[in-house]
């Protein structure tokens, strides 16, 4: 087989002809695979990204004087505020009861820091049961569907690398009782040499590809289904879905489709909303929502100049405190508009160590970053939204992500936080929990979402005065 001359000319024009360097050494299936990958590349776009993000010096940091704080619905402090929040939650309840909300869970990342074999969602995180992240998320969705009398559809974004194994995991577990589950695969982007901007070969017959970032969710939801079937967006529209609750796989504490969050978003007729936590230390590794010349946007922690990170209000609190925890609501129509291509999310660069095949056909394992990967971030949709809301949540209650194998944001911290939160539910529900002298919970505690979704529901299920002095897993 020979590649056609138009493709050869295109590769030469874009200085990517090295990609077929080993063509004559490959057998036919390998040639076919390489050809499919190379033909699918949008080299114009790669040229533009290389010019801007590899050769260019365009800064993603806005001028310091243009940056200011953003308005947030704070945590309710008084009884009046708490009852107002309960009222607004009714709007969320109604949307859920009408079946207008779907859940989008993004699980296409590579999970390199965790270093776990297999998709992160299959990690056994339950402090007592060893339930996977996917099980915990799925059971919340099943329980919410029962509570509001309408099953909630779940859409899970995977990557080309982890899609099949993720599908298998859900199938092996009878989809954890979900009535509507659809996996959809995100796109790939090639890694390029950080010196030359040329696409790297991972093998003689394959490009160095990696997922295109969680911003790839929008294009992936808009892509036709397998065998040319309807896209996820089309399917959602036909189901009467109007609002999407978006979250990332690694945080088991997330309050999925939180009715109060939904209520605030719908009441404001927002197109996009964020849950935020209070950032308390300038060096905390969390992106912040700010305004730049009055327009909202997220600045990643790695891009936030120290002068801005450290700026304080007269009361001592950080001025730029609204830390984004990647929990969002989107109006379906807004995302469809973004997917239509009128406006699109920018790409960011990530300098990484990427193994590659050199000119001699040898696999090189670089000891220092050698490649640039291109990723889109979902939070870059914010400046494109006509209206938005930001809602504060308490990090202890709703944010403990699984990122690392040890240290902060690791299995140990996530399990301890889960047990601590479940102890608080039990105490609120009238039970007593034996605690260590420092106040911590010295054993694992876990409550399946199918048993209770919150402390109020738990109250109806356990006898007052119940005493817990050892590890327990409550489930139906
Ligand atoms: P992270 O940025 O923490 O990346 O993703 P990661 O790939 O999971 O882990 P590391 O950085 O390699 O250690 C945050 C969330 O976004 C999803 C991840 O699955 C996770 O839920 N994600 C990230 C995608 O779905 N696709 C991507 O391309 C990147």
């Amino acid at each position: 087989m020979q590649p056609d001359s138009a493709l050869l000319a295109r590769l030469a024009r874009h200085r990517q002809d090295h990609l077929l360097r080993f063509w004559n050494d490959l057998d036919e299936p390998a040639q076919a695979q390489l050809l499919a990958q190379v033909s699918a590349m949008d080299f114009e776009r790669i040229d533009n990204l290389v010019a801007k993000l590899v050769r260019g010096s365009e800064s993603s940091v806005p001028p310091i004087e243009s940056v200011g704080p953003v308005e947030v619905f704070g945590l309710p402090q008084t009884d009046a505020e708490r009852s107002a929040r309960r009222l607004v939650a009714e709007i969320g309840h109604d949307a859920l009861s009408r079946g207008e909300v779907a859940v989008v869970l993004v699980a296409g990342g590579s999970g390199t820091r965790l270093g776990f074999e297999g998709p992160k969602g299959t990690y056994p995180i339950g402090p007592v049961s060893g339930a996977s992240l996917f099980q915990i998320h799925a059971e919340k969705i099943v329980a919410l569907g029962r509570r509001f009398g309408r099953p909630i559809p779940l859409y899970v974004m995977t990557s080309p690398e982890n899609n099949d194994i993720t599908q298998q995991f859900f199938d092996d577990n009878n989809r954890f009782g979900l009535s509507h589950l659809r996996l959809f695969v995100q796109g790939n982007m090639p890694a390029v040499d950080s010196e030359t901007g040329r696409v790297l070969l991972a093998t003689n017959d394959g490009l160095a590809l990696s997922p295109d970032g969680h911003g790839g969710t929008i294009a992936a939801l808009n892509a036709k289904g397998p065998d040319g079937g309807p896209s996820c967006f089309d399917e959602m529209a036909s189901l009467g879905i109007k609002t999407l609750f978006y979250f990332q796989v690694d945080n088991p504490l997330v309050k999925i489709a939180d009715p109060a969050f939904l209520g605030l978003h719908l009441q404001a007729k927002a197109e996009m909303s964020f849950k935020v936590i209070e950032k308390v230390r300038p060096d905390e590794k969390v992106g912040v929502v700010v305004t730049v010349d009055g327009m909202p946007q997220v600045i990643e922690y790695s891009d936030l100049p120290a002068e801005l990170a450290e700026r304080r209000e007269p009361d001592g609190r950080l001025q730029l405190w609204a830390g984004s925890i990647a929990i969002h609501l989107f109006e379906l129509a807004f995302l469809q508009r973004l997917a239509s291509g009128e406006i699109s999310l920018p790409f960011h660069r990530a300098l990484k160590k990427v193994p590659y095949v050199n000119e001699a056909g040898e696999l090189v394992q670089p000891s220092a970053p050698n490649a640039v990967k291109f990723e889109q971030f979902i939070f870059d949709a914010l400046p494109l939204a006509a209206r938005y809301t930001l809602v504060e949540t308490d990090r202890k209650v709703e944010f403990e992500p699984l990122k690392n194998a040890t240290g902060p944001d690791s299995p140990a911290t996530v399990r301890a936080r889960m047990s601590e939160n479940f102890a608080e539910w039990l105490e609120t529900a009238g039970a007593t929990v034996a605690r260590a002298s420092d106040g911590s919970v010295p054993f694992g505690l876990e409550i399946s979402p199918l048993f209770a979704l919150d402390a109020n529901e738990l109250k109806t299920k356990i006898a007052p005065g119940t005493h817990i002095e050892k590890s327990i897993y409550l489930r139906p």
Side-chain angles (χ1 to χ4, degrees), residues 20-70:
L20 301 185
R21 180 183 287 142
F22 303 107
W23 183 262
N24 292 329
D25 307 336
L26 304 178
D27 60 17
E28 278 214 8
Q31 287 181 337
Q33 167 181 301
L34 183 60
L35 201 57
Q37 285 187 355
V38 172
S39 309
M41 283 294 118
D42 180 345
F43 288 114
E44 304 283 339
R45 181 160 81 163
I46 293 165
D47 283 351
N48 289 337
L49 292 174
V50 168
K52 205 162 133 194
L53 300 174
V54 181
R55 301 224 172 79
S57 55
E58 195 177 291
S59 163
S60 48
V61 184
I64 283 180
E65 39 326 320
S66 63
V67 180
V70 73

Side-chain angles (χ1 to χ4, degrees), residues 6 24 38 44 52 64 83-84 154 170 177 184 229 253 268 275 279 290 300 316 387 415 426 441:
N24 292 329
V38 172
E44 304 283 339
K52 205 162 133 194
I64 283 180
S83 83
L154 171 64
F170 276 103
F184 65 103
L253 306 189
K275 277 239 176 131
K279 185 179 161 185
V290 302
E300 276 196 280
R387 285 167 303 281
R415 291 187 182 123
L426 284 159
V441 182

Side-chain angles (χ1 to χ4, degrees), residues 300-419:
E300 276 196 280
Y301 64 82
S302 48
D303 287 341
L304 190 67
E307 189 183 336
L308 282 179
E310 284 158 15
R311 211 189 260 169
R312 291 187 187 270
E313 297 291 1
D315 66 2
R317 287 173 55 164
L318 293 176
Q319 187 191 64
L320 306 178
W321 63 268
S324 172
I325 51 172
I327 297 177
H328 303 296
L329 289 166
F330 291 102
E331 284 309 285
L332 174 60
F334 170 58
L335 292 186
Q336 286 177 304
R337 206 168 78 229
L338 294 189
S340 73
E342 285 160 41
I343 23 174
S344 60
L345 304 187
F347 276 89
H348 296 250
R349 63 175 259 144
L351 194 59
K352 300 264 174 161
K353 283 191 252 178
V354 175
Y356 66 99
V357 171
N358 67 12
E359 284 179 24
E362 299 150 350
L363 183 66
V364 181
Q365 294 285 352
S367 54
N370 62 315
V372 173
K373 290 185 177 183
F374 303 113
E375 292 190 351
Q376 287 177 311
F377 297 151
I378 193 75
F379 54 67
D380 281 326
L382 175 61
L384 307 173
R387 285 167 303 281
Y388 63 94
T389 60
L390 304 177
V391 179
E392 184 185 5
T393 187
D394 180 351
R395 83 167 70 201
K396 286 209 202 81
V397 173
E398 207 176 349
F399 186 57
E400 190 70 43
L402 179 64
K403 298 281 188 195
N404 305 310
T406 54
D409 302 334
S410 67
T413 63
V414 174
R415 291 187 182 123
R417 171 54 49 205
M418 289 175 80
S419 294

